[in-house]
Amino acid sequence: MSRRLPLLLSAALATAALTSTPSAWAEPRPVAGPAAGSASAAGPVAAPAAAGQGNQPFASYWYPDSILTWDPATDPDARFNRSRVPLQPRTSDPALRANPNARAGEGKIASLVSFGPTSNNPSQGSAGTDYYAFGYWQYVDKLVFWGGSAGEGLILAPNPTVIDAAHRNGVKVYGTVFFPPGAYGGQLQWVRDFVRKSGSRYPVADKLVQAAQYYGFDGWFINQETGGGDSALAGELRNLMQYTKAQSGTEFMWYDAMTTSGAVNWQNALTSANSPFLQDGSKRTSDSMFLNFDWSASGLNSSRSLARQLGRNEYDLYSGIDTEANGYNTGVDWNTLFPAGKPHTTSLGLYRPEWTWKSATDRADFYAKDSRYWVGAAGDPSRIDTSASWPGLAGYVAESSPITAKPFSTTFDTGQGDFYNAGGTRVATGGWNNLSLQDVPPTYRWVVDSAGSRLTPSVDFTDAYQGGSSLRLTGTLDAANTVRLYQTRLPVAATTKLDLVVKTPAAGPTKLKAAIAFTDAPNSFTTIDVGADAGTRWERHTLDLSPYAGRTIAQLALRVEGSDPSYDLRVGQLTLYDGAVEKPAAPSGLTVLGASDVTPGTAQSLRLSWTAAPGGNVHHYEVYRRNADGSRTFLGATPNDAYFVGRLDRAGGESATTLDVEAVSTTFGRSDAASTSVSWSSTPPTSTNLALNRPATASGRCNADEGPAKAVNGSVSGGNGDKWCTLSSAKWLEVDLGSAKQLSRFVVKHAAAGGENSSYNTRDFSIQVRSTTTDPWTTVADVAGNTSGTTTHPVSATARYVRLVVTKPTQTTDPAARIYEFEAWGA
C-alpha cells in the first residue's frame, strides 16, 4: 500500500515543522499571497518591502504566474542570491575508498533538505549557529533545496550559501517546484499555469532556466501531487521538461507521483505508468527520478530492467527513504538497495536528512548525530558494521573528492562558529552561520591508522586560525598515528609547497609530519617533518615538495609520531600551492545600496556592493568596520560582489563609521581594502535594550528551536518555544553587545513572562560582565530565591559581554532553564 502524500507533508507544514531560530540580522518579512486552500492563484515575488533599503534579502520563491514577472534587473534581492562558486569536478578512486564494501561509480545519493521555511531562507547566512551546516558532501551527488507551500510559494530557488558549499564539493543543487494536493491548498490551475504555452514557448520554463543560470544552480526537482489532472496535462508536463532540456543544460529530477494518465498514483518503482517522465522514446524528459518510499525487491529489480530497456542507467533512479521523523532509526531494506557482493540495484534518495540537526539538543549533539547518520556508530567510515540496522551511508557509497586542481586550501571551517578569526586574530565574537565560507571538509571523517592508541580528530570550535573552527588532534600518543584527511588528484610541480599552520600547548617539537601518497602507490605515505613550534601561537610551516615534481598526489594525511600521554595539537590551515601565496587585487567601488534602522540612532542594517577584484583568484571578500582604537571588527563575508550586513553598531556618538572590504585569495592572501563611510544622522537614545538581536551563545538548548537567539529577539509572546531553554549541567547565556557600553540595568523575563507555570521561574542566578574575552567575569547581580516572572537588576558597569548564569533553574526539581528574554539596558 502506498504511503499517501509522502513528500508534501513537511512542505505544506514547513513553517510549523521547521521554524529555525530567527536571525539576529534578519527583519522577518510578512508572508504574502494565498493561504492554504485559497482560491487566489496569484502569489508573491520574493523581494524586500522597498527596493534599495537595507532589509534582509531572502532566497526567491514564486507561483507560476508571479515568476513570469520576475526580472533580476528589478528584483533588489537578486544580486544577493547569486552563487559565484562553479561546480567542481570530482574524483573517486576505488582503491582509496575508506570502506571495502562501498562502491564507486554505482549507486549515488540525492539529498532532499529543508534548510528553513520557504519564505525564510536568508541569502547570505545569519547570526547564530543554529543552522544545518552539512559537512558530508563526499557522499552526495545531488542536493535538492526542499520547500514550497500553497501559502508561501510553489517554486523555491536555493540560496547561494548552499549552492556555494555544494559546488565547492562538486555536488549539484536543484531548486524545488511543488504542487500540493487539494487537501493542502493545491490548485490544479497552478499546474495548468505552469505548462501554459505562448506560441511554441513555455514561458514558465524559460524563467526556470533564467533563474538557474542567473543564480548559478543546476536544475529543478518537480513534485506534482495535485490531483484531478488528465493525460493531456501530464503530456504537457513532459513536453515542458523536454522543451527545456532541448534549449539549456538545466536538469530535472522527477518525483514518482503523477502518472501518464494525469492521476496521482505513486508507483514506488519505474513502471510504464511513469517512465515517460524519465525517458519518452528517444526523448530524455528528466535526468533522474525519485522513487516513492514503499519500494520492494521485485519493484526495484524491475525498475532496473526497465531503465536499461529505455537506454537509461539504473542509477538515474533514486529509491527514496524517509528519515524526517526518525533519522538513523528508520528501517531500511539495505540488502535490496545495495545487495552484498552484487552491483547496487539503484541509487538512494534521502528525504530530510537534516533530522540530525532538527532533533539535536546542541551543536555537539548535531555533529554526533550527523556522524552516526553518514559514517556509522564508530564515527569511522572504515569501521562500519553492515549488519547494523543503520550501518552508515559510507558503508555503501564511496567518497568523492573535488580536490583536483591547485591551489587547494582549507582552514577546516565548517561554515559556522561562535567567533570569527582572521589570520589567528579574533575579529568578531558571537555565533554565525554562512555555508559560503565552508571549506571542503575532510574526505575521511575520521580514519586513523595506528598500531597503538588512536588519536581523536575533531572539529574544534574553541579556536581557529581562519573562520570559526580548526582541526584538533588529541589523545594518548604511544605509537605512530596516520590521520587520513583528503583524497586528491594534484600534480606536483617544481615550485609546489605545502603550508601547515599549527598550534601547540607549549613550545617544542610538534611530533607532526605531513603524509603524502602518490597515485603510483596510493596507499603508501611519504612523510615530511613539520618541525618544532617556537611558542604557543599559530605558526606557519612551509614544506618544499619539489623533490616529488612530476608525481601526482592521491592522498593528503598527517602522521604523528612519538610519545605523549596527552597529545594536543590544532591545525588551522593546510594549503598546497605553486609559487607564492598570492595577494589578490583589491575590489573597487564599494557602495552602500541602502540602509534600514535596527535601533534608531544606534544600529542599522546595510546592503553593500562593490566591483569584484580582477584576476579570478578570489576565494571570498571580508567586510569590516574600523574602530576608534585602530582595530577592525568583522561584519561578514561572501564570494559575491554584494553583501547584507545585518547589524552595524554605532560606537558612542560617532558621526560616521568607515567600512572596509578586502579580497581573500584562494591561498588566503589578502588584498588592500576598498573603503566607504556610513553616516549617522540622529542622536542615539539615552537608554535602550542593547542586547536586542545581538549575537548570543549558550551552554546548550532543549530543542532545535529553543536556541539562545530566542532570549534576545524582543518577544515573549511567541508561545512556549519563544525562549532559550537548556538542560546542560552548566547553564549560561552570553550576549556580545558589539562594543563596550555603559549599562544601567538588566531585565530577565523568566518562564511566567512567556505564559508558562510560575514554578518554572528561575530561582537562583547571577549576571556577569566583562569588556574583552581575556578579562575575568565580574558579577554585577547575584539572585537567590527568586519567584517572579520578570526581574530587574540596576547596575553601573561598562562592558561588551554580558552573561546570565543559572544555578537553580526552577522552583522544583525540574532541570530545564527557561529564559524568554535577557535584556541589557544602557547607552
Side-chain angles (χ1 to χ4, degrees):
M1 180 177 177
S2 175
R3 292 178 57 175
R4 309 302 291 176
L5 314 183
L7 289 188
L8 73 95
L9 290 176
S10 66
L13 303 176
T15 302
L18 196 145
T19 302
S20 60
T21 302
S23 163
W25 294 352
E27 290 185 5
R29 177 175 19 193
V31 175
S38 167
S40 171
V45 179
Q53 295 301 304
N55 298 326
Q56 166 74 62
F58 291 91
S60 294
Y61 56 98
W62 306 276
Y63 292 86
D65 275 353
S66 65
I67 196 173
L68 295 176
T69 64
W70 175 74
D71 183 347
T74 57
D75 177 359
D77 280 8
R79 67 182 303 171
F80 296 89
N81 283 314
R82 300 192 78 174
S83 169
R84 300 295 187 173
V85 179
L87 180 67
Q88 298 300 302
R90 300 209 291 187
T91 183
S92 183
D93 186 343
L96 295 178
R97 66 192 189 276
N99 193 282
N101 189 62
R103 309 286 179 82
E106 294 188 17
K108 301 181 287 288
I109 295 177
S111 185
L112 277 61
V113 179
S114 176
F115 288 87
T118 297
S119 59
N120 193 27
N121 282 284
S123 299
Q124 297 174 307
S126 59
T129 60
D130 195 12
Y131 196 73
Y132 181 53
F134 177 61
Y136 288 93
W137 300 101
Q138 64 268 43
Y139 302 109
V140 176
D141 182 62
K142 298 177 178 67
L143 182 138
V144 176
F145 195 81
W146 178 250
S149 71
E152 295 171 285
L154 308 178
I155 303 169
L156 175 62
N159 64 17
T161 56
V162 172
I163 306 171
D164 289 342
H167 279 187
R168 193 170 285 130
N169 287 276
V171 175
K172 293 180 178 179
V173 181
Y174 292 175
T176 301
V177 178
F178 174 58
F179 297 107
Y184 291 88
Q187 301 172 35
L188 194 61
Q189 185 59 47
W190 281 333
V191 187
R192 296 192 177 108
D193 291 342
F194 185 74
V195 300
R196 184 181 297 148
K197 296 186 72 174
S198 176
S200 61
R201 295 174 47 247
Y202 288 90
V204 172
D206 292 340
K207 285 295 183 180
L208 295 181
V209 172
Q210 183 186 16
Q213 292 178 345
Y214 181 83
Y215 288 146
F217 60 96
D218 306 283
W220 295 93
F221 183 94
I222 309 294
N223 179 22
Q224 202 307 88
E225 296 187 82
T226 305
D230 56 21
S231 59
L233 185 60
E236 284 301 308
L237 279 166
R238 297 199 301 276
N239 292 340
L240 178 145
M241 288 188 284
Q242 293 166 9
Y243 160 89
T244 305
K245 297 200 67 60
Q247 300 182 76
S248 73
T250 302
E251 297 186 2
F252 289 107
M253 177 179 280
W254 177 262
Y255 172 53
D256 161 31
M258 187 186 219
T259 62
T260 54
S261 71
V264 174
N265 186 7
W266 298 274
Q267 301 295 292
N268 303 292
L270 183 68
T271 71
S272 60
N274 63 15
S275 62
F277 292 103
L278 179 70
Q279 187 75 27
D280 192 5
S282 62
K283 295 180 179 179
R284 186 181 180 94
T285 307
S286 63
D287 299 88
S288 53
M289 182 181 291
F290 189 102
L291 302 180
N292 190 36
F293 308 119
D294 291 332
W295 41 265
S296 63
S298 60
L300 292 197
N301 285 328
S302 66
S303 296
R304 174 173 56 190
S305 297
L306 181 53
R308 291 175 175 176
Q309 292 171 23
L310 295 170
R312 297 295 294 271
N313 193 305
E314 60 264 39
Y315 303 128
D316 292 342
L317 305 176
Y318 290 80
S319 300
I321 62 174
D322 181 357
T323 64
E324 179 184 19
N326 294 309
Y328 48 66
N329 298 311
T330 303
V332 179
D333 183 359
W334 296 110
N335 196 53
T336 286
L337 192 59
F338 302 133
K342 298 179 181 178
H344 293 165
T345 310
T346 68
S347 292
L348 169 65
L350 298 174
Y351 183 61
R352 308 299 295 280
E354 79 276 10
W355 170 88
T356 57
W357 162 64
K358 186 180 172 185
S359 66
T361 56
D362 55 26
R363 185 172 55 207
D365 189 36
F366 159 57
Y367 275 79
K369 285 182 172 178
D370 222 33
S371 174
R372 171 76 176 81
Y373 189 101
W374 290 95
V375 302
D380 178 346
S382 69
R383 296 190 293 138
I384 282 178
D385 177 8
T386 54
S387 67
S389 58
W390 186 280
L393 301 177
Y396 301 109
V397 176
E399 302 83 359
S400 293
S401 171
I403 308 170
T404 61
K406 293 174 291 183
F408 166 66
S409 188
T410 176
T411 63
F412 304 96
D413 193 324
T414 66
Q416 61 175 204
D418 300 321
F419 55 83
Y420 194 90
N421 281 5
T425 299
R426 184 68 47 90
V427 290
T429 57
W432 61 275
N433 67 82
N434 186 345
L435 291 185
S436 288
L437 303 184
Q438 185 188 73
D439 289 315
V440 175
T443 313
Y444 307 105
R445 291 177 58 188
W446 302 100
V447 176
V448 181
D449 297 323
S450 177
S453 302
R454 288 190 181 96
L455 293 178
T456 300
S458 63
V459 176
D460 177 37
F461 289 98
T462 66
D463 201 357
Y465 179 70
Q466 179 71 31
S469 53
S470 57
L471 171 66
R472 191 174 188 179
L473 304 178
T474 56
T476 299
L477 178 62
D478 52 23
N481 275 251
T482 301
V483 183
R484 292 175 64 187
L485 292 179
Y486 291 100
Q487 183 181 152
T488 69
R489 189 167 289 274
L490 298 174
V492 181
T495 60
T496 301
K497 300 180 180 68
L498 176 64
D499 278 9
L500 283 167
V501 179
V502 302
K503 191 174 191 178
T504 52
T510 61
K511 302 182 176 65
L512 182 68
K513 296 181 178 182
I516 302 170
F518 299 98
T519 53
D520 52 2
N523 287 298
S524 177
F525 287 98
T526 297
T527 61
I528 307 171
D529 193 17
V530 171
D533 270 2
T536 59
R537 297 176 179 271
W538 289 108
E539 294 189 28
R540 182 177 300 272
H541 301 262
T542 299
L543 309 180
D544 180 15
L545 300 189
S546 62
Y548 313 103
R551 303 176 75 180
T552 298
I553 298 174
Q555 289 194 79
L556 288 172
L558 299 174
R559 177 76 59 81
V560 185
E561 297 178 355
S563 177
D564 191 330
S566 55
Y567 186 77
D568 190 355
L569 177 136
R570 290 178 174 88
V571 183
Q573 185 177 336
L574 182 158
T575 304
L576 194 140
Y577 60 103
D578 293 338
V581 171
E582 190 169 5
K583 177 180 178 178
S588 59
L590 177 58
T591 302
V592 178
L593 298 176
S596 294
D597 281 337
V598 175
T599 304
T602 63
Q604 57 186 311
S605 58
L606 307 170
R607 290 184 172 213
L608 305 177
S609 71
W610 54 87
T611 300
N617 63 336
V618 173
H619 182 271
H620 67 270
Y621 299 89
E622 294 185 349
V623 184
Y624 291 89
R625 66 155 292 152
R626 292 189 201 171
N627 301 318
D629 61 2
S631 66
R632 297 194 304 174
T633 298
F634 175 78
L635 300 177
T638 179
N640 203 348
D641 59 5
Y643 186 70
F644 172 71
V645 176
R647 182 174 181 128
L648 175 67
D649 283 304
R650 187 177 191 174
E654 65 180 353
S655 60
T657 302
T658 299
L659 302 182
D660 291 340
V661 173
E662 62 185 30
V664 179
S665 75
T666 48
T667 49
F668 285 84
R670 293 178 178 273
S671 76
D672 297 330
S675 302
T676 192
S677 183
V678 177
S679 298
W680 298 94
S681 58
S682 60
T683 302
T686 56
S687 183
T688 187
N689 176 16
L690 301 171
L692 181 65
N693 289 328
R694 290 300 308 165
T697 54
S699 55
R701 60 183 179 183
C702 295
N703 295 298
D705 63 348
E706 293 179 336
K710 289 291 184 69
V712 292
N713 67 355
S715 169
V716 297
S717 58
N720 286 352
D722 192 10
K723 66 175 180 288
W724 167 61
C725 175
T726 185
L727 288 163
S728 57
S729 54
K731 298 175 173 64
W732 55 264
L733 170 73
E734 182 179 336
V735 183
D736 178 3
L737 304 181
S739 60
K741 303 292 177 66
Q742 182 65 43
L743 302 173
S744 58
R745 72 182 189 278
F746 287 90
V747 177
V748 185
K749 297 182 179 180
H750 308 273
E756 295 193 65
N757 193 292
S758 60
S759 66
Y760 294 149
N761 287 338
T762 318
R763 183 173 179 84
D764 300 340
F765 59 95
S766 61
I767 298 171
Q768 301 172 342
V769 301
R770 64 182 180 181
S771 292
T772 72
T773 55
T774 58
D775 291 340
W777 289 103
T778 299
T779 299
V780 294
D782 198 2
V783 178
N786 171 64
T787 59
S788 300
T790 299
T791 56
T792 301
H793 313 276
V795 299
S796 178
T798 300
R800 173 174 175 174
Y801 304 97
V802 297
R803 182 179 174 103
L804 176 69
V805 178
V806 175
T807 49
K808 185 170 179 54
T810 63
Q811 311 296 309
T812 65
T813 57
D814 188 288
R818 300 167 175 85
I819 302 296
Y820 278 78
E821 282 297 300
F822 180 44
E823 300 174 355
W825 288 80

